Amino acid sequence: MSSLLLPMLVGLSLAGEPTMPSTSPSLDLVMPGAKPNMDDSYLCSSFDVTKLSQATDPQSELHVTGFVLKADAQKAHHMLLYSCDEPNEKPGVVYDCLHHSMCRGGQSIMFAWAKNAPPTTLPPGVSFNINPAQRKYLVLQIHYAHPLQEEDKTGLSLTYQVDPTTYTAGILLMVKGGLTIPPNTPVVHGDVNCRLPSDTPLNMFAFRTHAHSLSPVITGYVYNEEGHKYREIARGSPQWPQAFYPMKKVQTVSPGEILTARCTYNSTGVNHVTNIGSTAGDEMCNLYIMFFTKPGKVADYLMCANEQEGPAISRGLPSDSDKPPAAMPELEAHAMDSSVKTGSKEINYADLFKEEQQQSTTKKKGGLEEATIRTAYFNLTMPGVTPTRQDDYLCTGISMSNLEPVRRLWAVEFSALSTGNQAHHMIVSKCKNPVKTVEGGTWDCRHHAMCRDSSKIMFAWAKHAAPTELPGDVGFKLEKDDYLVLQVHYVNPLLTPDHSGIRMRFVDNSPKYTAGMYLLLRSQLAIPPDTTGIHGDVNCQAKIRSPIHVFAYRTHAHTLGSVITGYRYSPHTQEWRLLAKGNPNWPQAFYPMQTTMTVNPGEILAARCTYNTTGHHTPTKIGATGGDEMCNLYLMFYTLSTQDDFIVCVDEQNPGLTSQLPPGNDLPLPPNPALEHKAAGQEASLVSYSNGLPVADTVPSPAKKGESSVKKRPGVDNGSVKKKPGVEPIYGDYRYDTNLRTGMDYSTNKPDTGDGSTDNIDFFDGSEAGPEESITSGGMQPRAAPLTDYQDG
C-alpha cells in the first residue's frame, strides 16, 4: 500500500481562500467536533475508506492525486494523515493519541500540514495508493497547541481516481530523535544521516521542513563518498507555511548514496534549555521528502533517524549548510495568519515532472551476481642475501605480470617470514620502475632508492609483529605493470644467507574499497642526551579526494621512543580526536582501532613522537641507522578513491597547531612486559597484541559492520575467507602449488594442467583440499610459509 506524500502543489490555493473546482471524486476527512481542553493536545479520529469511497466497488484500489486543506494554523498547530491497519477507536470518535497510540498494527504517514500550507496536487501520473483489501483505515492526527472554546472541524479532502497511475508516490522522513539546545546560543545543529533505505533508486521531487520557533533553516543533501561530494536537495525555513516545496530538479538517489539533513537553531533570547519533544515549547527536526517510483518497487513510507552513518558525514557538510534562505516576510506572516496574502497561489510540479519523464531518469537496478573469489599466497623473500655491514638496507623485487599475466590482483593479508633478530624492519612497497627489474636481483637501497619513480608503502613490519588481515571488501590494488619491492633493514652483518620476507595473500576480484597508507613522519630532529619528554611533531591537511576510513595503525621509532600518538583535527568544529597511541618498543604491528575513524578532505592529521634519553649520554638525531632515531606513524585506511592509496605527511605544515595538542599526548602507555619481551625476541609464545582491546590471537583489522572478523591463530591456517552474503561464497581448505602451473582456468574455476613453464601465481577456489605449501617467485629460494613458520623464522 502506498501512503506517501508527493506534493506537486499545482493549483495551490491558500487556506481560507476559494479552491479551484475539481471534477475528481474525493474522500472528505473531518474531525467530528474535537474540543481540546489543554495545551499540546494530540487528538485523532479514524475513517473507513470503504464507507467514504464513491467507487462502484468500495473495495476498489484508490489512487490519491491531491490534498485540499480545511484548516487554520490559529487552531491547529500541525496535522498528519496516516494509513492504518486498525485504529485504536472506531470511526466517528475523537481520541487522545499523544499518550496512546493511533493504530493497532502497521501505520505510515501519507500527508503532513502546518502553518497554513496550501493544498497539494501531485504530478500527472503519480499517486498515493490506498488498497482497502490491505489497509482500509485513514487516521487524522491534529496537534492543538492550545485549548479551544468551540468544537473543531478541521479537515482534509483527498482527491482520487480509480485508474492506476504510472508511478507510485512515497514519503521519506528524516528525523532527529534527541537534541539539547542550550540557551542564548546563535547556532546549534541537529544532524541526521543514513544510507538510502531502498534497494532501488528513488526519484525525489519535493520536500517539507518541520521545526518550531527556534529554527531558521533546515537543509538536505545527498552525499556521494567517492569524490566527497554533497549535492543540495532541500533548503527551507520552518517559519514559512510548511508545504511540500518543489526541488529545483528531480533528484535521483541511488542505493549506497547517503542522505543527510541539518536542522539549525538560534536560541538567542531564550533563557532556558530546549529539547526535542512533542509540545509546542519543545523543538522538532523533521525533513519530509517526496519521491516516486514504479509501483511495487519500494515501501511507501521510509524513515531515516539520527546519524546512522556517523558524525563524519555531518562534519563534512558545506559551510553554508546552516544559512537560511532569503527572507520572505509575506510567507512568514501567512504562516501565522491565513488572511495574509502571499501573491502566488500555485506551486506547480508539472514542468519538473515532465522534464524528468523526458530524461528517463527512472532506471532498473541490475541485480548482483554471485562471484567466485580465487585466492593464493605468495612469499616475497630475500634470495639468500648476506649483509656484510651494519645497517644494511637491501631490496629485491618482482613484476606482478610475472605472477599473474592476465588479471589484476588485490593484496588482503600480510605476515612476516623472519625474526626481529635477523631483520630490524621490513617494508613492502609497489611502484612502476624499481632500481632493478630482473627477478631475484638485489640492490643497496639505503644509499640508493627503492624505485626510480615514486613508491607506495603497502605494509611495514618490525619487532616480531603479528600478521595483519584487512577488513572484508578491502584490498591493496596491484596492476599488471606494478612491481612489488621488499626492503629489509639489517642492523648487523649475518654469517649465513637470509631469506627474510613477507607472505601475502591475494584475491582476484575487485573489492569495494581501496586500501591505502597514510604515513606521518619527522624528517629531522635533534634529541639531546639525558632528557625526558622530547617531542617530534608532524601535521598536515588531508589533501584527499574522498574520505579515508582509518582502521589500523603502526608506530615506528627506535630505542629512545617511549610513545607515539596520532590525532585528527577538524577545522570546522575545532575538535581533536585521538586516532592512535602506541609504544614503539612493543611489536610494531598494525594494531586495530577500537572504532574505524573517518577523516574528511580538508581535516588535519597530526602525530607526536616522544623520546626519553635518560641514561643516554650522546646527542641523537633522526636517521637511517639503528643508532639513530625515527618518528613514523603509519595509518592504514580504506577509501572509495583509487588514487589516494599512499599519502605522506612530512614535518609540521602548521606549527601553531602543535601547541594545541590535547593533554596526555606524551603520556606513555602502561608497561606490558610480555609485549616488550616479545619485541626483543625473548619470548616466542603467543601474546596479546590488543593494546588494551579484547584479547585477539593475531591482529586482524576490524571487520566492516555486519561482517564477522575471521582471526587466524599463528600456527593454524583454517583456510577461511570472509563471506559477504550474496556476493562471496565460502571456501574450505586451500592448496598452494609448488609446481607453478600456468594459472587458473577461470571458465571452470579449476586449476589448469599446464606444463610448469611459467612463473605465475596459481589460484584455487577451495574445491581441492591438500597439504599447505608455498608459492615463491622464480629464482628465489623456496621457503615453506604456513603461519606456523612465523614465530620461529
Side-chain angles (χ1 to χ4, degrees), residues 279-355:
T279 75
D282 294 322
E283 266 301 337
M284 287 189 172
C285 174
N286 295 357
L287 177 63
Y288 296 82
I289 296 173
M290 276 192 177
F291 63 86
F292 65 84
T293 62
K294 286 286 189 179
K297 293 292 185 181
V298 68
D300 56 0
Y301 177 60
L302 305 171
M303 181 177 284
C304 171
N306 302 321
E307 292 178 282
Q308 296 178 24
E309 293 300 315
I313 306 298
S314 304
R315 288 200 320 271
L317 283 168
S319 58
D320 66 349
S321 62
D322 53 10
K323 181 181 178 181
M328 299 187 70
E330 69 279 7
L331 282 182
E332 294 170 18
H334 181 76
M336 303 301 296
D337 184 350
S338 62
S339 66
V340 175
K341 307 300 181 185
T342 64
S344 172
K345 297 181 180 180
E346 248 186 68
I347 298 178
N348 194 327
Y349 294 144
D351 292 341
L352 185 73
F353 188 67
K354 182 178 179 181
E355 178 184 346

Side-chain angles (χ1 to χ4, degrees), residues 560-582:
L560 302 181
S562 58
V563 65
I564 297 177
T565 50
Y567 294 90
R568 181 198 68 204
Y569 175 72
S570 170
H572 180 64
T573 63
Q574 298 185 343
E575 177 190 37
W576 291 91
R577 286 293 300 271
L578 181 67
L579 279 173
K581 189 167 191 175

Side-chain angles (χ1 to χ4, degrees), residues 379-576:
N379 295 346
L380 179 59
T381 61
M382 279 293 172
V385 297
T386 306
T388 58
R389 57 189 173 184
Q390 288 188 323
D391 293 307
D392 247 356
Y393 282 71
L394 298 178
C395 284
T396 189
I398 187 169
S399 169
M400 289 303 300
S401 62
N402 287 349
L403 299 182
E404 170 50 56
V406 177
R407 293 199 169 213
R408 179 184 294 161
L409 301 180
W410 285 264
V412 297
E413 187 178 338
F414 304 86
S415 59
L417 306 170
S418 182
T419 69
N421 296 329
Q422 289 176 285
H424 179 272
H425 72 252
M426 294 187 288
I427 292 176
V428 175
S429 298
K430 67 175 182 177
C431 66
K432 304 293 186 184
N433 189 12
V435 170
K436 290 187 179 181
T437 58
V438 60
E439 188 173 328
T442 63
W443 64 95
D444 172 8
C445 50
R446 174 183 171 184
H447 302 96
H448 305 282
M450 296 173 67
C451 299
R452 292 188 174 91
D453 62 340
S454 60
S455 60
K456 298 180 177 182
I457 295 175
M458 296 167 57
F459 185 70
W461 171 94
K463 296 195 175 187
H464 298 267
T468 294
E469 181 179 0
L470 304 188
D473 226 1
V474 175
F476 286 95
K477 184 176 69 171
L478 293 160
E479 303 284 359
K480 289 186 291 183
D481 61 346
D482 280 332
Y483 282 79
L484 290 175
V485 177
L486 172 68
Q487 179 199 76
V488 180
H489 173 199
Y490 297 96
V491 174
N492 299 309
L494 297 179
L495 298 177
T496 58
D498 181 57
H499 298 282
S500 294
I502 301 293
R503 184 190 199 206
M504 290 174 281
R505 180 163 66 88
F506 297 105
V507 296
D508 69 338
N509 77 311
S510 173
K512 179 178 180 181
Y513 294 99
T514 296
M517 192 75 67
Y518 204 119
L519 171 58
L520 295 97
L521 67 89
R522 182 82 184 185
S523 67
Q524 55 186 353
L525 183 69
I527 303 172
D530 292 300
T531 308
T532 60
I534 302 133
H535 296 148
D537 291 298
V538 188
N539 63 62
C540 289
Q541 189 176 48
K543 296 187 180 299
I544 48 181
R545 295 164 181 80
S546 297
I548 61 174
H549 308 282
V550 181
F551 62 88
Y553 66 91
R554 173 186 180 266
T555 62
H556 181 68
H558 296 169
T559 57
L560 302 181
S562 58
V563 65
I564 297 177
T565 50
Y567 294 90
R568 181 198 68 204
Y569 175 72
S570 170
H572 180 64
T573 63
Q574 298 185 343
E575 177 190 37
W576 291 91

Side-chain angles (χ1 to χ4, degrees), residues 8 48 59 64 101 120 235 313 483 675 677 771:
M8 177 165 164
D48 185 337
Q59 296 294 326
V64 176
S101 61
T120 294
R235 184 181 297 266
I313 306 298
Y483 282 79
L675 287 180
H677 291 164

